Amino acid sequence: MTDQLQPPVDPAKLGLGMLFFATKADPEGLRESIQAHRDNIGKAEPFVPGGVNNQTAGFVNGLCSYDRDAIRELAATKTVEHSFHGAEHMLTGWPDDVPPPSYGHVKGAETEMMYDAIKADKDAVANALLEGGFVMAGTPEDCQPVLDAFHDVGVDQVIIQMQMGNAPHERIMESIELIGTELIPKYR
């Protein structure tokens, strides 16, 4: 086993869809990546039976409520807790302190930088995650621009993680209801 990173395989060559995380979602760069993926998917040699998946999905942590300030604080705080514990495990939780090849990237500078930033000032990280769009939180009106940005660059599906960091079940259910009734109909 090596701790050298292998070059990524272009998912379009394998007929696989594209998944991105909001922390890397520069809109213009994302638009270019989606277009490049769609341009190349026609040349795919499908990796799995059943054909080609040319869809793009975006992942964001999010909670939605009319109780704006409380839900923004909850979503940001729980995302920071979840990120801290995940980074801690990825940096220290592997047998013999060596991640398997598919997780080799987590020993990199970005994971350590996030871990160190949270240790230094978790409130600043929470605010940065909210402002940067990695955490979609607030009223439906607050959440809509994040979904609009995904839609505008050609994202087909959005995965909204609501259960980060032990978020209360009632808040998750409220978010599902509001997103389902107030936001999703706008994109059909």
Side-chain angles (χ1 to χ4, degrees):
M1 183 181 311
T2 177
D3 56 332
Q4 296 293 320
L5 294 178
Q6 301 300 315
V9 175
D10 182 353
K13 291 178 183 174
L14 300 174
L16 300 175
M18 181 178 169
L19 171 65
F20 70 90
F21 293 84
T23 52
K24 303 292 185 186
D26 161 52
E28 201 49 47
L30 182 56
R31 181 187 317 276
E32 292 171 12
S33 293
I34 291 170
Q35 189 58 53
H37 182 266
R38 291 194 173 138
D39 290 345
N40 288 308
I41 198 95
K43 305 170 200 160
E45 294 183 26
F47 177 68
V48 295
V52 171
N53 173 0
N54 67 351
Q55 294 185 317
T56 301
F59 177 97
V60 65
N61 290 318
L63 290 171
C64 187
S65 172
Y66 286 117
D67 187 2
R68 182 182 195 272
D69 293 339
I71 205 71
R72 286 176 60 84
E73 181 180 345
L74 176 67
T77 301
K78 294 301 183 181
T79 297
V80 167
E81 289 173 13
H82 183 76
S83 299
F84 182 78
H85 294 298
E88 184 175 50
H89 175 75
M90 288 188 276
L91 293 170
T92 64
W94 302 106
D96 301 321
D97 202 32
V98 178
S102 59
Y103 282 87
H105 64 283
V106 302
K107 286 296 242 184
E110 286 184 16
T111 303
E112 286 187 45
M113 189 170 64
M114 175 64 96
Y115 180 78
D116 291 342
I118 294 170
K119 279 177 61 174
D121 189 347
K122 65 183 178 185
D123 293 334
V125 172
N127 288 330
L129 292 174
L130 277 169
E131 297 308 316
F134 182 66
V135 177
M136 178 185 79
T139 66
E141 292 76 24
D142 293 318
C143 295
Q144 186 171 342
V146 175
L147 298 177
D148 286 346
F150 290 161
H151 182 264
D152 291 347
V153 298
V155 172
D156 301 303
Q157 301 171 29
V158 178
I159 301 164
I160 305 169
Q161 176 176 305
M162 298 178 193
Q163 70 277 21
M164 64 278 186
N166 246 357
H169 179 73
E170 302 77 33
R171 295 304 237 169
I172 294 169
M173 296 307 294
E174 176 187 17
S175 296
I176 291 169
E177 181 176 348
L178 281 175
I179 291 168
T181 59
E182 302 280 332
L183 294 171
I184 289 175
K186 296 177 183 191
Y187 302 97
R188 290 192 174 164

